[in-house]
Amino acid sequence: MLFTVIRQNNYQDSINLMLLTNAINEVEGVTKSQIMMGTDANKDILLNVGLLSDEAKSASPNDMVIVVDAESEKIMDGVLSKIESFLADLSVNEAKDQTKEANSWDEALSLMPDANVALFSIPGEYGAPEMETALEKGLHVFSFTDNVSLEDEIRLKKLAHEKGLLMMGPDCGTGIISSIPIAFTNVVKPGNIGIVGASGTGIQEVTAIIDRLGGGCVHAIGTGGRDLNEKVGAITVKDAIVALESHDATDVIVVISKPPAKAVRDEVVDLLQSCQKPVVAIFLGEKPQAHEGNVYLAHTLEETAKIALDLAAGNPVKANYDEAISLETTEVLEPQKTVKGLYSGGTLAAEAGMLISEALELGGLIKKEGYILNTKGYEVLDLGDDMYTQGRPHPMIDPEVRIQKIREYAAEEETGIILLDIVLGYGCHPDMAGALIPVIEEVTQEAKINQRPLHFVASVVGTLQDPQDYNKAVESLKGAGVIVADSNAQAVKMALQLKGIHLTEEDKIILPYDKVLSPLPQVDLKVLDLLHTKPRIINVGLKSFNESIQKYGGESVQFNWRPLAGGNKKMIKLLKAIEKHEASIDAANEEVIGRLKAAQPFLIDVVPAKSVIPELNTDHKTLLHAGPPITFEEMTGPMRGSCIGASLFEGWASNETEALELLASGDVRFIPCHHVHAVGPMGGITSANMPVVVVENRLDQTRAYCTLNEGIGKVLRFGAYSEEVVNRLIWMKDVLGPTLSRAVKLTEEGINLNVIIAKAITMGDEFHQRNIAASLNFLKEVAPYIVQLEMNEQDKRDVIKFLADTDQFFLNIMMATGKSMADSARQLQKGTVVTALTRNGKNFGVRISGMGDEWFTAPVNTPKGLYFTGFSEEDGNPDIGDSAITETVGVGGMAMIAAPGVTRFVGAGGFADALAISNEMSQICVSHNSNFSIPTWDFKGTCLGIDIRKVIATGITPIINTGIAHKKPGLGQVGAGTVRAPLACFEKALEAYAKSLGIDVDSLNSN
């Protein structure tokens, strides 16, 4: 049975998830499992292994997908427990790490303004746009990330060249910059040798041999395996060669290449001949007969290292670096016995395949289905090939695939020798030799029992400084009967010697190079800075890559990357197109934010709604409602109940039946509150004679209106319409409203709401779910004036007691305040700042500053939270109300950290979760409002200016604190919680805004 769990917005590194998958597959009762992020590429993998469930299909690239094929549902308890433990261990390790972390490029660059390198280890399908961003920001790129298209690689490398930057990669596994080991790399002593390598393990093998023989390297610049492809044209190789020629501390230049295109190879050699420094080059697959001019051509990686060492020491280059191989055994295998190579490194596999093919005249290398060589029973596999690593960790990390292949090959009658590489260094398995030895001993013993000769020959790629123990690896392999060589080339020669074949190298002479040399191009200062200083790296992806950088003197900031726009390729293209207008949009947004910050809201009156809203002062029966436009037929229970209550209050009907008939008849006009400068909580229903607060933003005299808060429980805003509810509304119309109006008019200028808000936020209010402090501060302001009024004393006491008892009274004042702020900013008609968030029980609506009155809607979500006794989530109505105007201006759920007392009530969990939420919300906002500083947030101002670009880019949607109404009319509030705005609203807004900029959105979508 398939069981699926989706962890939304829980991005985890792919390698960690691969290792976690292996651990879960060991759980008893699990047939197979796969844990990965919900990208399209990963869904294809799930499909191929029969684990793509319907739930998994709906996951986003930011969702962690857990699919388990298990015998019973009970097994899932153990599986989920193991997953929690694994992720908890990761969290503990991360907590110990002191690396500074960022969640965006801007944040990363603010933490390290002088950064000069971006190190990528993210999924390839998202790599190119992010690398382009890094290059545009003036950063060299080191791309461990692979699966980038050839077209994108060419484009990125041309862009880097134009900007005077190095594009190292894609698929660049290893690097050394100013003696700092980067990515999957060995720790090599500093020295005077500089390397340019179009591979990973090729660099590792050469640098490790140099180190073990007493030399050192200052740089090893990876270029990726396709740089010498004819279409790429060796852009990075050439730039790196010129850079090393200009680098004073580099005395010898080494070039390592997989089989290159002939024309490109010749261009590179021409460039190398123009260098004044001695050069060693190896083009794997070639068997050079002589050196040429200034370029010493090697046949093997070992020879490459030894020539470089002599040149670095000022010694003459020898005619031959071949050394005699001595084996402890004199056994010669039968002719039918063959050699099998199981390599974790592609370059080492290529070298092995080349040497075996040359010795046995097998016709050269192939590159097909993971094979480097597959002729006459001789097979060399690159287990790092995509076909073996899809959905699995690289074989340098995880021995599982190699263990399977060892068993498979050892069982074949023709197998006489199995070749292995054991790669050490950062990023690799902590003890690969120890992981493979049990299976080596197992199959060797089986072969002895069956009287079959079987030999293992291995080389260990590593140095004495590596985090693993090089000597221990060598000795433990020997202890298990493995023949261990000092290099991969020697290992192949030993394997062939067991077959009675002695592979030797011919002497090389130096031939003159008679072509006309061209002068070398100038090196950009940004490249010289990279080579002359310790790297300052923004690490985008695997956190473990920080370890080697920081330990050996480099600097790094961790960019906790997630797929841009949740992996939505349409939105990614839109964001990139809009990015070209970034300066003007940012300037517009700053102007909008300036208006929001400069707002001067004052409560100036409380009046009947019809006296300030002309649309209610007509003969046509009219009701205002919350959210974007909606018909009565579409309304959910609470809003319908509120309409019934308003009809009874206005005297349009005498009972529920008459009210429903009237409302369904079409004789009542429905208008969104937002269309008439008003807002209404929950159902939002506002009728002509209901009293409303009048808030004036004295920045520009923008006015906004909202009904008075009724208290909690069975109230009109939650859809209740009993006699008690209607009588309260009548009292508010006849007593509360007029009393407050007279009291406010006794003040000199009205009540300054900025002051009340600033005070209350320091006392634990967030102005949506919690308004206790603000309500009491309001009472403190208004009570002295109420006391002065000449009115019925009982009415006076009732008003003061109602205000004292109604903890949420200030909510409605805050809503009108937010509306006055947002409407003032919206008049600018520019930028991407959100100016309204609202919901009507069916749809969620968004407005943005640059698109004026236009609504962008999507189906609304149902809140998650705590329910009153006797109610559950099944009773909850989809989200409803204009009260999200508070979040629009940065309070409410956006300021969760301000109200630790309310976090548990709204389902946030506790202070740490509230802090995390406010930190998350700040990622989608332009600025902070210094008018409302939060003590529990180190006095940081509330978030301000939700930017739809940031919402789309991060996939983070605003969180809203909300009450929960019963879905049936008349039952009122049943709980409180939080709800997320649907992403689709913001996507629609972004698309419309892009069109307003003249961007051909349809063309982008078709590409």
Side-chain angles (χ1 to χ4, degrees), residues 516-527:
V516 176
L517 301 180
S518 301
L520 293 175
Q522 292 293 312
V523 184
D524 193 278
L525 291 176
K526 291 187 284 292
V527 176

Side-chain angles (χ1 to χ4, degrees), residues 115-118 131-142 155-169 221-222 227 234-240 243 522-531 536:
N116 61 351
V117 179
M131 292 175 206
E132 183 174 1
T133 297
L135 292 169
E136 292 289 357
K137 292 182 181 296
L139 300 172
H140 303 280
V141 168
F142 187 112
R155 178 175 58 81
L156 291 170
K157 288 188 170 179
K158 286 182 177 179
L159 175 63
H161 180 77
E162 290 166 6
K163 289 184 168 291
L165 298 165
L166 290 181
M167 174 69 203
M168 296 169 273
I221 300 171
D227 199 71
I235 294 172
T236 303
V237 167
K238 292 175 183 177
D239 286 347
Q522 292 293 312
V523 184
D524 193 278
L525 291 176
K526 291 187 284 292
V527 176
L528 290 177
D529 171 70
L530 176 69
L531 298 188
R536 305 172 297 278

Side-chain angles (χ1 to χ4, degrees), residues 610-625:
K610 65 183 180 183
S611 70
V612 288
I613 301 173
E615 289 82 354
L616 292 177
N617 195 18
T618 69
D619 292 335
H620 195 156
K621 294 180 176 66
T622 301
L623 293 178
L624 308 182
H625 65 78

Side-chain angles (χ1 to χ4, degrees), residues 6 9 60 75 106-108 154 361 393 482 576 753 798 950:
I6 307 294
N9 287 311
S60 83
I75 291 168
D106 289 345
E107 188 180 353
I154 294 167
E361 299 181 355
V482 178
K576 289 297 179 184
L753 298 174
D798 288 346
K950 294 187 176 187

Side-chain angles (χ1 to χ4, degrees), residues 97-146:
D97 186 4
Q98 298 302 307
T99 303
K100 293 179 181 178
E101 298 191 8
N103 294 301
S104 68
W105 280 110
D106 289 345
E107 188 180 353
L109 287 166
S110 69
L111 291 173
M112 186 181 283
D114 61 344
N116 61 351
V117 179
L119 167 57
F120 286 92
S121 54
I122 63 176
E125 58 188 305
Y126 306 114
E130 294 290 357
M131 292 175 206
E132 183 174 1
T133 297
L135 292 169
E136 292 289 357
K137 292 182 181 296
L139 300 172
H140 303 280
V141 168
F142 187 112
S143 176
F144 181 83
T145 293
D146 59 2

Side-chain angles (χ1 to χ4, degrees), residues 174-176 195-208 220-222 256:
T174 297
I176 299 171
I195 297 175
V196 181
S199 61
T201 49
I203 288 177
Q204 287 186 269
E205 173 81 340
V206 170
T207 56
I221 300 171
I256 305 168

Side-chain angles (χ1 to χ4, degrees), residues 758 761-762 929-942:
I761 204 166
T762 68
N929 192 344
S930 56
N931 296 318
F932 309 137
S933 63
I934 305 174
T936 48
W937 209 13
D938 293 329
F939 292 92
K940 192 183 297 183
T942 53

